[in-house]
């Protein structure tokens, strides 16, 4: 290459320069044009090279060669597929295309998938299954890691006997204590009603979520110092709720220390004692009343159905109330309706402490910016400051005040 | 990552790959950026060769990505090759690959293959609207109008909504053709626009105009114009269709509103049966009204003023013309407060009928009921777009009826004028439209409203520009 360059340079020098000088071409332009022509030459050199050695369609050959054996296989397979198999096939292709699709899918899930009314519903369902699968896998992995760590720890530890003044409290003992409390609450406790009449308003997924939330709230109620006496009212046997509860609790369902009835709360309790809790209520709850019976609607509302529970309370002529979220929290985003277990936590805390601030700690943090707890005096101060800045008068006064409070950092001119 | 400008050797790819932060996805990222930069196909080929050498196989998603690049550059022979490879390798393909193949092949002279592919897609799913679009465009480009219309009808039968592009291409490609059947089909498209209240955009409108003017034998002339407020076309002096609904549509709509909007699944959600009954008897005893006013909505027009003063001004203004007014409000308005003065409220009640709903009831539902019950001449005043009530209606047909009725009967302009100026300077109240803003025909004339730009921002805005076509 170098020699070629040399050669070129020689040619250029010998022939073109005098020619250029004759025709009055500026000298400083010349080196530029020379390098240009040279680099062009170089580029051509290189781009010609690979096309000689590189077969661009080689990949096709590779792919096709790998096929020969497979082709004979596919031919022997029956061409007509059942709809289930076809769905499985589609899923397989989606997986290959890199979409969010679960690794394994059961027959039942496949059927649900096929019954989805639209493409987007199908996609959503698969994504849900995919995420569920991922979570499960992660949990399993973590469990295994934990077990390994435990085994290691056990191996390294010598078997010295622990001496402790307390008897080891097994969970069964705790359970007995909790159950004792729950049993007491069934006789003396304040009733809390879950209204189970929203099944028609919800999809299957929503019912599942509802039951999950109720299970959580029941467990936190059982563990509390002074549990509520939980009532499931309007509960129909063999309803979706019932089936889901059986799935969640299995045999424990019959041993739960709660009251389950198909009666309405209005049949069990005096009407004037009932208060229906709903976020749509125009009335705001001020204090927790120990003599009242609060009703919580067992409903998860993923689509927007405002006023469903308010309508129910209106129909029965019951008093309603909403939590004073606005009053105590600087609301940020999200709907004002809370999950059932959050409601349970809030009600339990209210019952025990009557402290709104403590109770509303259970509202998810993402939904609010902070508590409205600045004293009035401070609020007034900031308001004054804003006013003076806005109106422009008394700026010096503000500066002076500022200088007083931060004497070292700030100097008046 | 910047894709290289020329094909690379396997070793060079390996080097690049090693320098890349996560080598497992190197090829994927590289192909993606090639698609983005529209790199030459040869470069992508060299990457695939490198991949094939390394793994002995190329994954499906990589093939699809390569296909995207080929389609982007219209490399027909490559698309063919990829299709053959895919077909042998996989029993069926997935929607994305089919879409690309159909799009790529429909633009080539082998567009008929796109049609066979479409058939293949139909076996496993409903083809997307873009698949249909490619095929229809290809067919009409090759003057196979019959085939194109077959596909179009099939698409409509499957509830796949055609793109405006497809509709436009029909007009573009049948320019100057003399064929009664074809003409009928194209009129059918215009009626489709009418039924679905779709407004063509400017270029689409131009295609329609050109097609009309190109019909051999027909003496059609098109003019761009805007319609007078009276609903008369300045070009041909034709009176546009009335915005009023027909008797049947009207009774249908009022029935639906009572059933689906006011009662819905549960009457208690918006009102209560007792209250609704009371309202019904109230309205029946005082029928008919000329104007129904949403009191609370109107009272918020000027935020600095007392709310009852706002309402008072509006009522005074509307009462001048001897109209029978009904003001809907809530019970809290009767309580003497800083915003609601008892004296002023009393004075107003001499000029108009008032109905006060419970504080937790929805007064909009009452507004709709009272207006519909009063008859076709009755208008209502609110700034609310009533979208949530429209959404309660179950099918698109009734929703269109609602929209049409709303356009003809809702007075909003007046309120906005009030906002800008003071009351006294507003002399006439304007109902939104006296004429119906849809594609319409009388046989020898066509009037087609159109949008200036492709993307009109607001769905409630109706185009003011029209294409007037008449046969001479």
């Amino acid at each position: 290459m170098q020699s070629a360059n040399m050669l070129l340079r020689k040619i250029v020098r010998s022939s073109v320069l005098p020619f250029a000088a004759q025709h009055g071409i500026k000298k400083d332009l010349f080196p530029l044009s020379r390098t240009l022509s040279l680099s062009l030459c170089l580029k051509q050199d290189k781009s010609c090279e690979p096309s000689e050695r590189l077969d661009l369609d080689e990949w096709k050959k590779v792919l096709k060669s790998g096929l020969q054996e497979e082709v004979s296989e596919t031919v022997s397979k029956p061409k007509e597929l059942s709809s289930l198999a076809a769905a499985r096939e589609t899923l397989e292709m989606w997986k290959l295309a890199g979409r969010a699709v679960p690794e394994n899918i059961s027959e039942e899930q496949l059927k649900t998938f096929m019954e989805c009314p639209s493409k987007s519903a199908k996609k959503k369902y698969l994504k849900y299954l995919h995420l569920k699968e991922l979570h499960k896998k992660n949990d399993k992995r973590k469990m295994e890691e934990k077990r390994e760590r435990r085994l290691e720890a056990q191996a390294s530890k010598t078997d010295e006997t622990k001496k402790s003044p307390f008897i080891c409290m097994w969970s069964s003992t705790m359970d007995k204590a909790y159950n004792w409390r729950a049993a007491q609450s069934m006789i003396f406790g304040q009733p809390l009603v879950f209204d189970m009449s929203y099944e028609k308003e919800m999809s299957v997924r929503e019912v599942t979520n509802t039951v999950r939330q109720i299970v959580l709230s029941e467990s936190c109620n059982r563990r509390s110092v002074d549990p509520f006496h939980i009532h499931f009212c309007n509960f129909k046997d063999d309803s979706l709720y019932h089936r889901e509860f059986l799935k969640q609790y299995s045999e424990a369902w019959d041993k739960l220390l709660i009251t389950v009835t198909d009666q309405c709360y209005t049949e069990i309790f005096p009407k004037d004692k009932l208060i229906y809790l709903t976020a749509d209520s125009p009335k705001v709850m001020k204090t927790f009343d120990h003599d009242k019976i609060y009703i919580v609607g067992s409903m998860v509302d993923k689509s927007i159905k405002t006023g469903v529970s308010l309508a129910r309370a209106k129909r029965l002529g019951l008093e309603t109330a909403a939590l004073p979220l606005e009053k105590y929290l600087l609301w940020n985003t999200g709907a004002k309706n809370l999950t059932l277990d959050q409601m349970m936590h809030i009600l339990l805390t209210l019952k025990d402490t009557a402290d709104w601030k403590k109770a509303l700690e259970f509202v998810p943090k993402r939904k609010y910016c902070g508590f409205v707890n600045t004293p009035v005096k401070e609020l007034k101060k900031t308001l004054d400051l804003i006013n003076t800045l806005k109106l422009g008068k008394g700026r010096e006064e503000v500066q002076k005040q500022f200088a007083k409070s931060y004497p070292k950092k700030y100097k008046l001119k | 990552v910047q894709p290289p400008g020329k094909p690379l050797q396997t070793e060079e790819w390996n080097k690049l790959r090693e320098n890349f932060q996560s080598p497992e996805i190197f090829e994927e990222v590289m192909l993606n950026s090639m698609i983005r930069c529209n790199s030459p196909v040869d470069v992508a080929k060299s990457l695939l060769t490198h991949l094939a050498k390394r793994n002995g196989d190329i994954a499906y998603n990589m093939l699809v990505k390569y296909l995207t690049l080929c389609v982007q550059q219209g490399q027909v022979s490559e698309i063919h090759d990829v299709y053959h490879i895919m077909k042998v390798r996989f029993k069926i393909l997935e929607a994305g690959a089919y879409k690309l193949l159909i799009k790529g092949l429909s633009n080539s002279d082998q567009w008929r293959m796109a049609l066979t592919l479409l058939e293949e897609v139909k076996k496993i799913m409903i083809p997307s609207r873009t698949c249909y679009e490619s095929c229809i465009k290809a067919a009409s480009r090759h003057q196979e109008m019959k085939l194109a219309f077959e596909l179009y009808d099939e698409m409509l039968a499957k509830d796949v909504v055609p793109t405006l592009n497809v509709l436009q291409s029909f007009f573009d490609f049948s320019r100057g053709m003399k064929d009664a059947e074809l003409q009928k089909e194209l009129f059918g498209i215009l009626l489709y626009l009418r039924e679905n209240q779709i407004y063509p955009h400017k270029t689409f409108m131009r295609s329609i105009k050109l097609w009309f003017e190109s019909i051999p034998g027909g003496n059609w002339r098109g003019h761009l114009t805007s319609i007078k407020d009276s609903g008369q076309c300045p070009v041909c002096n034709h009176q546009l269709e009335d915005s009023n609904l027909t008797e049947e549509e009207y009774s249908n709509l009022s029935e639906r509103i009572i059933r689906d909007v006011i009662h819905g699944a549960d009457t208690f959600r918006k009102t209560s049966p007792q209250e609704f009954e009371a309202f019904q008897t109230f309205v029946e005893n005082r029928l008919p009204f000329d104007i129904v006013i949403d009191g609370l909505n109107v009272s918020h027009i000027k935020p600095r003023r007392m709310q009852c003063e706002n309402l008072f001004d509006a009522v005074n203004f509307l009462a001048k013309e001897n109209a029978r007014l009904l003001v809907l409000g809530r019970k809290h308005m009767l309580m003497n407060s800083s915003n609601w003065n008892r004296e002023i409220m009393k004075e107003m009640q001499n000029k108009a009928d008032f109905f006060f709903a419970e504080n937790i009831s929805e007064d909009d539902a009452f507004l709709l009921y009272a207006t519909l019950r009063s008859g076709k001449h009755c208008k209502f005043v609110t700034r609310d777009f009533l979208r949530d009530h429209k959404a309660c209606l179950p099918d698109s047909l009734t929703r269109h009826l609602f929209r049409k009725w709303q356009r003809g009967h809702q007075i909003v302009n007046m309120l906005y004028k009030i906002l800008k100026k003071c009351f006294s300077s507003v002399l006439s109240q304007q109902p939104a439209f006296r004429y119906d803003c849809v594609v319409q025909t009388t046989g020898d004339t066509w009037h087609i409203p159109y949008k200036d730009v492709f993307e009109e921002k607001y769905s409630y805005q109706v185009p003011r520009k029209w294409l007037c076509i008449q046969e001479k």
Side-chain angles (χ1 to χ4, degrees), chain A residues 222-261:
Chain A
R222 199 180 341 142
R223 271 150 231 267
S224 72
V225 187
D226 180 19
F228 283 108
H229 175 195
I230 293 180
H231 285 72
F232 289 174
C233 288
N234 293 324
F235 189 92
K236 305 272 182 303
D237 276 344
D238 277 330
S239 57
L240 257 183
Y241 280 123
H242 192 181
R243 255 178 283 158
E244 283 298 325
F245 271 120
L246 285 179
K247 249 189 223 168
Q248 292 279 343
Y249 278 115
S250 53
E251 354 20 300
W253 171 247
D254 291 322
K255 293 175 201 154
L256 278 185
L257 292 170
I258 55 175
T259 304
V260 180
T261 167

Side-chain angles (χ1 to χ4, degrees), chain B residues 268-405:
Chain B
F268 282 95
R269 276 217 215 163
K270 286 183 176 165
T271 165
S272 67
Q274 295 90 334
E275 192 183 31
F276 186 61
E277 213 167 283
F279 179 68
Q280 265 180 320
T281 45
F282 171 88
V283 171
E284 296 304 324
N285 289 337
R286 289 173 175 76
L287 275 179
F289 299 103
D290 296 319
I291 297 172
V292 183
I293 302 166
D294 184 350
L296 278 172
N297 190 294
V298 170
S299 70
H300 282 93
I301 280 193
K302 279 187 182 171
R304 293 271 168 80
R305 292 177 79 207
M306 233 165 111
Q307 287 171 12
C308 72
E309 276 183 331
N310 278 331
L311 184 59
F312 186 65
D313 285 346
V315 167
N316 265 347
F317 171 72
L318 292 166
K320 265 182 206 157
E321 289 157 30
N322 256 345
R324 282 182 54 80
L325 304 181
L326 168 64
V327 181
L328 293 169
R330 295 215 180 103
K331 287 208 166 132
H332 71 78
M333 289 157 76
L334 287 171
M335 310 283 261
N336 208 1
S337 66
S338 59
N339 262 324
W340 297 99
N341 183 306
R342 195 166 281 167
E343 301 298 313
I344 297 179
M345 286 302 283
K346 269 223 178 95
E347 207 181 323
M348 262 192 282
Q349 287 181 42
N350 293 329
K351 293 187 174 165
D353 281 314
F354 273 73
F355 183 85
F356 297 99
E358 291 294 331
N359 291 340
I360 52 171
S361 294
E362 287 211 20
D363 47 0
D364 290 345
F366 293 145
L367 178 88
L368 294 178
Y369 177 77
T371 317
L372 281 166
R373 200 63 200 85
S374 296
K376 283 180 181 176
H377 72 288
C378 184
K379 308 268 191 296
F380 63 98
V381 184
T382 177
R383 283 179 302 168
D384 200 309
F385 288 112
L386 306 172
R387 289 191 187 112
D388 44 345
H389 301 291
K390 194 183 74 174
C392 291
L393 295 168
D395 57 313
S396 62
L397 198 76
T398 329
R399 264 176 273 169
H400 281 315
L401 275 186
F402 182 79
R403 256 260 185 271
K404 187 177 167 186
W405 174 76

Side-chain angles (χ1 to χ4, degrees), chain A residues 50 54-60 63 67 71 89-90 93-94 96-97 119 282 306-308 311 314-315, chain B residues 8-9 42 45 49 53 57 60-61 66 78 81 88-92 94 126 266 268-269 271 360:
Chain A
L54 195 69
D55 180 10
L56 286 173
D57 287 333
E58 203 180 332
W59 60 276
K60 288 180 195 166
L63 280 183
L67 284 175
V71 169
E89 200 82 5
T90 328
M93 289 320 287
W94 284 14
L96 285 178
K119 256 184 218 171
T306 37
V308 174
K314 250 160 103 185
R315 181 193 295 277
Chain B
L8 295 186
Q9 297 285 349
D42 283 351
K45 273 187 186 171
T49 306
K53 274 188 191 160
D57 190 18
Y60 177 79
N61 61 337
Y66 176 64
E78 279 305 304
D81 284 355
V88 187
R89 264 199 108 71
F90 307 102
K91 242 181 273 171
I92 53 167
E94 140 279 0
I126 296 175
D266 188 351
F268 282 95
R269 276 217 215 163
T271 165
I360 52 171

Side-chain angles (χ1 to χ4, degrees), chain B residues 116-363:
Chain B
T116 48
L117 270 175
L118 187 72
E119 291 304 315
E120 221 170 286
V121 178
K122 274 186 229 160
K123 277 182 208 155
I124 49 171
M125 61 191 135
I126 296 175
S128 68
R129 65 201 293 222
T130 43
C131 286
Y132 272 115
E133 182 183 328
S134 314
C135 288
I136 290 177
K137 271 187 165 173
S140 46
R141 196 179 300 121
H142 295 87
Q143 300 295 313
E144 297 251 3
M145 295 316 279
K146 204 171 170 199
L147 179 65
F149 273 107
E150 265 167 30
L151 286 172
Y152 171 72
D153 289 337
E154 186 184 304
M155 184 175 184
L156 290 186
K158 284 185 178 164
D159 271 337
V160 183
V161 181
T163 55
L164 283 187
N165 247 331
V166 167
L167 303 181
Q168 190 184 343
S169 76
F170 278 126
F171 285 95
D172 280 339
F173 289 117
S174 37
R175 209 172 287 164
M177 288 216 256
K178 192 180 167 78
D179 182 354
E181 199 61 28
L182 179 71
Q183 204 165 318
K184 217 170 111 194
E185 292 278 10
L186 287 168
F187 285 151
I189 291 180
L190 289 176
L191 291 179
Y192 175 82
L193 294 181
R194 174 190 168 87
E195 266 150 38
N196 294 289
Q197 310 206 9
I198 300 168
Y199 307 118
H201 48 84
K202 210 169 189 173
T203 47
F204 186 5
M205 178 275 296
R206 221 165 266 145
S207 302
I208 296 174
K209 183 168 176 274
L210 287 176
W211 174 74
F212 265 108
E213 288 171 346
S214 78
I215 298 176
N219 211 350
W220 293 94
R221 278 289 151 267
H223 296 277
L224 304 189
T225 176
S226 49
I227 303 291
K228 291 178 195 161
D229 278 342
S230 61
Q232 203 181 35
C233 170
V235 181
C236 61
N237 291 327
H238 171 70
Q239 183 70 30
L240 288 197
E241 273 175 49
D242 209 79
S243 65
N244 281 337
L245 308 183
T246 63
E247 283 304 329
E248 199 191 331
E249 286 173 333
Y250 196 84
S251 65
N252 201 346
L253 181 66
S254 16
E255 217 172 88
R256 281 298 177 80
I257 290 218
I258 293 172
R259 201 183 71 199
D260 297 322
V261 178
I262 297 176
H263 292 306
D266 188 351
T267 317
F268 282 95
R269 276 217 215 163
K270 286 183 176 165
T271 165
S272 67
Q274 295 90 334
E275 192 183 31
F276 186 61
E277 213 167 283
F279 179 68
Q280 265 180 320
T281 45
F282 171 88
V283 171
E284 296 304 324
N285 289 337
R286 289 173 175 76
L287 275 179
F289 299 103
D290 296 319
I291 297 172
V292 183
I293 302 166
D294 184 350
L296 278 172
N297 190 294
V298 170
S299 70
H300 282 93
I301 280 193
K302 279 187 182 171
R304 293 271 168 80
R305 292 177 79 207
M306 233 165 111
Q307 287 171 12
C308 72
E309 276 183 331
N310 278 331
L311 184 59
F312 186 65
D313 285 346
V315 167
N316 265 347
F317 171 72
L318 292 166
K320 265 182 206 157
E321 289 157 30
N322 256 345
R324 282 182 54 80
L325 304 181
L326 168 64
V327 181
L328 293 169
R330 295 215 180 103
K331 287 208 166 132
H332 71 78
M333 289 157 76
L334 287 171
M335 310 283 261
N336 208 1
S337 66
S338 59
N339 262 324
W340 297 99
N341 183 306
R342 195 166 281 167
E343 301 298 313
I344 297 179
M345 286 302 283
K346 269 223 178 95
E347 207 181 323
M348 262 192 282
Q349 287 181 42
N350 293 329
K351 293 187 174 165
D353 281 314
F354 273 73
F355 183 85
F356 297 99
E358 291 294 331
N359 291 340
I360 52 171
S361 294
E362 287 211 20
D363 47 0

Side-chain angles (χ1 to χ4, degrees), chain A residues 170 195 268 362:
Chain A
W170 294 107
D195 181 2
I268 308 174
F362 291 102

Side-chain angles (χ1 to χ4, degrees), chain A residues 168-223:
Chain A
C168 186
M169 282 275 251
W170 294 107
S171 58
S172 61
T173 329
M174 288 304 284
D175 277 347
K176 259 180 209 158
Y178 288 143
N179 279 339
W180 180 247
R181 263 192 219 148
Q184 264 185 325
S185 84
M186 282 193 72
I187 307 170
F188 305 111
Q190 181 179 3
L192 178 77
V193 177
F194 281 96
D195 181 2
M196 310 296 241
S197 59
Y198 293 101
E199 199 177 294
K200 276 186 195 140
E201 251 82 31
M202 291 188 281
S203 66
V204 181
R205 272 280 285 289
E206 284 170 333
V207 173
T208 320
N209 291 351
T210 308
V211 168
R212 183 91 205 106
Q213 288 178 14
I214 293 177
V215 169
L216 284 175
S217 26
E218 190 272 328
S219 83
C220 90
N221 181 57
R222 199 180 341 142
R223 271 150 231 267

